[in-house]
Amino acid sequence: MPQSISVALRVGLSTGALYPGTSTERVAEIAAGWGVTDLELMLQTPGEHAPAFVRDAVERARDQGVAVRALHAYQQFFPMFTPYSRRTDEAFELFAALIEAAGAAEVPVIVWHGPSRDEVSALDQWGPFLTATSRLAELAHAAGVTIALENVSWCVLATVRDCFAFANRLPELGPPGSLGFTFDPFQALKARANPFMILNAMAGHLVEVHLADVSEEALDAAPHPPRALPGRGDIPWSALLRAIEGAGYRGPMMLETPFNADGDGWRETCAFIDPLIAALAHPTAGAPLPPGVIEGIELFNAGEWYEAHEALEHEWHAERGEDRRLYQGILQIGVGLHHARSGNHRGAVLLLTDGIEKTARFTPAHRGLDIARLVREAQACLDQVITLGPDRLTAFDWSLVPVIALPDAH
């Protein structure tokens, strides 16, 4: 298995960010002037997959003080799942040559999409995919390389279910360290998959991360929305970075979003991401609540319980400590109140009961929040819902709804 290449998260760069204006082999020279130290070579042509090109590009990057951490294979150049055996065999041979080239150049990771969903449309059709993956894993192990399958929206591992299913098969597909995952939050949202659950599936096997943002408006407007720089879309980066770290990843996160060769996109991304990484690396006693929790509580207090659920869910997934139970409890109390307002008596009783049980473990106070008051007022709401029954919920006294006071310094 390749040696660990880092002990900390940091921003790296994919050469694809400067495509098509800058050739792959020239990116390192330009990016070195911006302070880039980690590079992913996104290979764009058949010739760029050739061993001689890989060797020369890696050497040029090293001459600039830039380490090539991964090669990103161009999926369409490797049609390994066709009915024409010669095309399939030649594609496999080309990929095998790329693995050998990566090993010779000491590049530890090859990013691979696997087959498209058109080629493999269901789990029960995974036979050829798993067979090919296992063969490639043996070659990768011999070369000291990890093949990292990416959760691409139009490929085989697009959904949470797919990623969990593949993760469960990893031990039987190849030697330890020969196979892993590349996580792309943009692709997760494009596939309408929960990025936090995708990370959960990849935990312990995550060897590459891509950076790109997207807004809900862009997702709704077009089937193929453009990538945005981190911070310009709707991805909750503070929570997501904690989830990435919680999944066991320590290394560069490759910026894939297209931008000009002036470097402004790189500098903007670093200015946004670096402070979030620093907050992870240097936790302090009495640290403020995460931004998503603050936003969720503010929405809760405004009676926007569905929207509060969305904000708190990100933090619940990202948190690995005991606080995740508190965030989930507040979320459930809010959803219970939402059900009460919607006339769903059974849902209101179940969610309020579960939420109170979880938050009660943190009484009387936690992280500057008056949990005892929240539990007391939420219980009064639950008692009222039970007393009114399914037919009289419209008589609910909404003046009893809890308001969660945030700490003064947040």
Side-chain angles (χ1 to χ4, degrees):
M1 180 175 181
Q3 294 297 311
S4 174
I5 57 177
S6 177
V7 295
L9 295 179
R10 60 185 181 274
V11 180
L13 182 68
S14 167
T15 59
L18 299 187
Y19 175 84
T22 305
S23 61
T24 300
E25 69 274 20
R26 289 197 60 243
V27 172
E29 179 182 354
I30 296 171
W34 309 336
V36 175
T37 59
D38 304 283
L39 200 65
E40 174 192 89
L41 299 183
M42 184 174 284
L43 307 175
Q44 302 289 352
T45 70
E48 291 189 2
H49 290 75
F53 180 89
V54 170
R55 181 187 64 248
D56 292 345
V58 170
E59 289 179 356
R60 290 179 64 158
R62 287 174 181 158
D63 289 343
Q64 298 296 325
V66 179
V68 176
R69 307 296 186 180
L71 305 179
H72 193 310
Y74 198 95
Q75 195 259 6
Q76 288 90 333
F77 295 156
F78 300 97
M80 286 185 269
F81 307 96
T82 75
Y84 191 57
S85 60
R86 181 177 293 155
R87 180 177 290 120
T88 298
D89 292 343
E90 289 183 1
F92 186 90
E93 291 171 3
L94 289 171
F95 204 99
L98 182 63
I99 292 172
E100 185 176 351
E106 298 182 339
V107 178
V109 174
I110 295 178
V111 178
W112 183 40
H113 293 177
S116 70
R117 297 190 72 78
D118 289 337
E119 292 170 314
V120 180
S121 59
L123 290 178
D124 60 5
Q125 298 176 6
W126 273 22
F129 164 51
L130 296 178
T131 298
T133 301
S134 185
R135 290 176 64 195
L136 293 173
E138 292 293 338
L139 296 174
H141 178 69
V145 172
T146 299
I147 297 174
L149 281 100
E150 185 177 358
N151 60 298
V152 177
S153 61
W154 50 276
C155 290
V156 65
L157 301 185
T159 70
V160 173
R161 178 170 175 257
D162 293 332
C163 289
F164 270 111
F166 187 76
N168 290 334
R169 303 296 293 268
L170 279 178
E172 67 192 64
L173 291 177
S178 60
L179 294 172
F181 290 105
T182 296
F183 171 64
D184 190 318
F186 168 84
Q187 291 288 353
L189 292 175
K190 188 178 174 184
R192 297 297 182 177
N194 185 321
F196 293 90
M197 293 302 294
I198 294 284
L199 276 170
N200 197 349
M202 294 179 172
H205 304 286
L206 187 56
V207 295
E208 176 84 339
V209 172
H210 290 158
L211 290 182
D213 211 332
V214 67
S215 67
E216 286 293 333
E217 182 180 3
L219 287 169
D220 292 339
H224 302 292
R227 290 175 174 84
L229 290 172
R232 291 193 182 184
D234 294 327
I235 291 177
W237 285 102
S238 176
L240 192 66
L241 291 175
R242 287 191 288 117
I244 290 169
E245 187 178 64
Y249 185 72
R250 304 291 186 274
M253 301 174 293
M254 303 303 184
L255 179 62
E256 277 197 329
T257 306
F259 60 88
N260 295 328
D262 57 13
D264 286 347
W266 166 263
R267 286 183 283 272
E268 178 181 328
T269 298
C270 290
F272 175 73
I273 292 290
D274 285 352
L276 301 179
I277 294 174
L280 292 177
H282 303 289
T284 58
L289 290 166
V293 175
I294 295 171
E295 179 189 3
I297 289 175
E298 289 174 342
L299 290 166
F300 182 105
N301 291 341
E304 299 179 26
W305 296 305
Y306 184 84
E307 292 78 4
H309 164 272
E310 295 291 309
L312 288 165
E313 186 177 35
H314 298 318
E315 300 295 344
W316 167 46
H317 282 301
E319 180 61 48
R320 287 294 187 267
E322 272 297 305
D323 283 1
R324 76 190 311 264
R325 187 177 293 274
L326 173 63
Y327 303 158
Q328 187 183 19
I330 296 173
L331 179 159
Q332 289 179 317
I333 290 171
V335 174
L337 293 168
H338 173 75
H339 284 318
R341 186 165 59 192
S342 303
N344 180 356
H345 183 268
R346 182 172 183 274
V349 171
L350 289 175
L351 270 296
L352 283 168
T353 300
D354 285 349
I356 291 167
E357 188 276 331
K358 288 184 175 69
T359 53
R361 300 185 184 200
F362 297 87
T363 55
H366 186 75
R367 300 290 296 274
L369 301 175
D370 187 344
I371 303 302
R373 177 183 173 184
L374 170 62
V375 170
R376 183 173 62 251
E377 294 177 351
Q379 184 64 50
C381 289
L382 174 59
D383 293 342
Q384 186 181 181
V385 167
I386 293 172
T387 299
L388 291 172
D391 299 328
R392 298 179 55 234
L393 273 181
T394 54
F396 187 90
D397 182 359
W398 293 101
S399 68
L400 299 180
V401 168
V403 174
I404 306 171
L406 285 163
D408 292 336
H410 64 266

